Amino acid sequence: MINTINTLSYSGLKTFITCPFKYKLEYLDGHREPIRNIHIDFGGSLHKGLDAGLVHEDISMYDVFEKEYKKLVSENRALLPQEYSKVDDVV
């Protein structure tokens, strides 16, 4: 079964232009390896906080950001201890 796409990111478009078959495997078939690092955690958390705050005015953007960031750093620290050893304790 092929998944439908609701959004197209810059990375997805770049992958499609470079290799449509790779795009199919990663974005449509779901065989994409997640990227984990502190920068991705921060950016993803920031996007989630902004999205929540803009969609729901009664929700604190910062609270959503902080909760998501702590969750991601905690999860990824367990998976990649060396990469996350440089990160101050945020949890």
Side-chain angles (χ1 to χ4, degrees):
M1 181 171 90
I2 296 178
N3 297 326
T4 59
I5 298 177
N6 294 330
T7 61
L8 181 61
S9 65
Y10 171 79
S11 301
L13 183 59
K14 183 178 175 185
T15 301
F16 181 79
I17 290 169
T18 304
C19 181
F21 185 69
K22 181 178 179 181
Y23 176 85
K24 178 191 177 301
L25 290 175
E26 291 185 358
Y27 290 89
L28 299 179
D29 297 344
H31 300 290
R32 187 170 186 211
E33 193 68 32
I35 300 170
R36 291 185 171 93
N37 66 48
I38 194 69
H39 310 291
I40 298 293
D41 293 348
F42 186 86
S45 301
L46 184 62
H47 278 272
K48 194 165 193 167
L50 289 170
D51 185 51
L54 293 172
V55 172
H56 307 284
E57 293 179 12
D58 57 327
I59 294 178
S60 166
M61 290 185 215
Y62 182 77
D63 290 344
V64 173
F65 162 77
E66 185 177 37
K67 181 179 176 183
E68 182 68 14
Y69 184 68
K70 286 180 178 183
K71 181 185 82 126
L72 287 173
V73 169
S74 178
E75 290 171 358
N76 291 331
R77 182 178 278 146
L79 295 170
L80 302 166
Q82 281 190 291
E83 173 75 27
Y84 285 80
S85 66
K86 303 169 198 148
V87 179
D88 294 332
D89 279 331
V90 293
V91 290

